[in-house]
Amino acid sequence: MGDVFVNPVRAVGWLIISILLTVIFTGVGINQAHTYFDGETVTAHVDRCSTHRVYSRHGSHNETDCYGSWTTADGQKHDGEIPGAGAGDENTDVKLRAIGDDVVEDSEIGALWPFIVAVIGLGLTVGAIFAVRHAVRKRREMRAGFAGPPPGYQQHRPPTQYGPPPPPQQQYGGPPQHGAPQYGAPQYGNPPAYGPPQYGPPPGGYPPPQGGYPPPGYPRQQGGYPRT
């Protein structure tokens, strides 16, 4: 069952087989249990046994079938296959439980063994149900992987921090603006970590305003403006 868990069709096939196995052997077990518990104990005579070769997918083996007769309490004589008898029981008498033509072995294990197979089939059915569910879920995950993430799905990725750092030996800051004071020289060397460049006050504080420069919003006049 190597690929059962990823093949829903094969998993469903195992489920059907296990259900049929459980149902068939449960029915056989109920019939034999009825014969064992409600039947009468009889003595059957084994008339003959025959051995034949049985072939299957897994090989071959010998099987022996024995036939004989028994008489019930009502005086009726019945004949048929003797369950549990082997080649060594030929021309001997064995004990059986019988209801008319139906007979089973006169032992609990020999009569109720179909229930053991039915319990095994029930366990296989439960396992096959889980295999079907797992195979269907696995197949959906594989299809979802090919189709991409579902709508509304958010992939957990770390947020981008200001883009990649600039290369070394790069001048930071834009070109000087007209009328804006420029302090110090351009900074060279290794770039800062992440984030925008940080500016601080120039060394020694800001210089006092100089005369000759128009206030913001006034046109430039020749000779400048008087200091106030």
Side-chain angles (χ1 to χ4, degrees), residues 89-151:
D89 297 323
E90 191 171 5
N91 295 321
T92 63
D93 294 335
V94 296
K95 294 291 184 180
L96 299 176
R97 294 285 182 94
I99 298 180
D101 291 334
D102 297 329
V103 290
V104 295
E105 296 183 45
D106 190 23
S107 66
E108 293 182 355
I109 296 178
L112 304 180
W113 64 267
F115 285 116
I116 299 176
V117 181
V119 171
I120 295 175
L122 181 61
L124 292 176
T125 300
V126 175
I129 291 175
F130 282 102
V132 170
R133 294 179 59 185
H134 179 83
V136 171
R137 184 173 63 251
K138 198 72 175 179
R139 182 61 60 89
R140 288 178 179 175
E141 292 177 356
M142 293 173 62
R143 290 180 178 177
F146 286 116

Side-chain angles (χ1 to χ4, degrees), residues 15-222:
L15 177 60
I16 295 174
I17 292 174
S18 59
I19 291 176
L20 291 176
L21 184 71
T22 304
V23 172
I24 292 173
F25 281 91
T26 298
V28 174
I30 292 175
N31 182 67
Q32 293 197 177
H34 170 66
T35 304
Y36 178 79
F37 290 108
D38 297 337
E40 57 179 303
T41 303
V42 297
T43 300
H45 182 75
V46 181
D47 297 326
R48 59 185 177 86
C49 294
S50 60
T51 302
H52 56 279
R53 194 75 175 173
V54 177
Y55 296 91
S56 63
R57 293 175 53 187
H58 305 288
S60 60
H61 62 280
N62 292 328
E63 282 190 2
T64 301
D65 298 327
C66 295
Y67 300 89
S69 59
W70 61 92
T71 303
T72 55
D74 58 2
Q76 294 291 328
K77 185 177 181 179
H78 306 271
D79 55 14
E81 185 176 355
I82 307 299
D89 297 323
E90 191 171 5
N91 295 321
T92 63
D93 294 335
V94 296
K95 294 291 184 180
L96 299 176
R97 294 285 182 94
I99 298 180
D101 291 334
D102 297 329
V103 290
V104 295
E105 296 183 45
D106 190 23
S107 66
E108 293 182 355
I109 296 178
L112 304 180
W113 64 267
F115 285 116
I116 299 176
V117 181
V119 171
I120 295 175
L122 181 61
L124 292 176
T125 300
V126 175
I129 291 175
F130 282 102
V132 170
R133 294 179 59 185
H134 179 83
V136 171
R137 184 173 63 251
K138 198 72 175 179
R139 182 61 60 89
R140 288 178 179 175
E141 292 177 356
M142 293 173 62
R143 290 180 178 177
F146 286 116
Y153 177 79
Q154 295 182 355
Q155 297 182 349
H156 298 284
R157 295 181 178 177
T160 305
Q161 300 288 342
Y162 303 105
Q169 302 297 332
Q170 179 177 353
Q171 182 177 353
Y172 299 104
Q177 302 295 328
H178 178 74
Q182 187 175 8
Y183 307 105
Q187 301 297 323
Y188 296 94
N190 293 327
Y194 288 92
Q198 304 294 328
Y199 299 102
Y206 292 95
Q210 302 294 329
Y213 291 90
Y218 287 86
R220 182 183 297 274
Q221 296 184 6
Q222 186 175 3

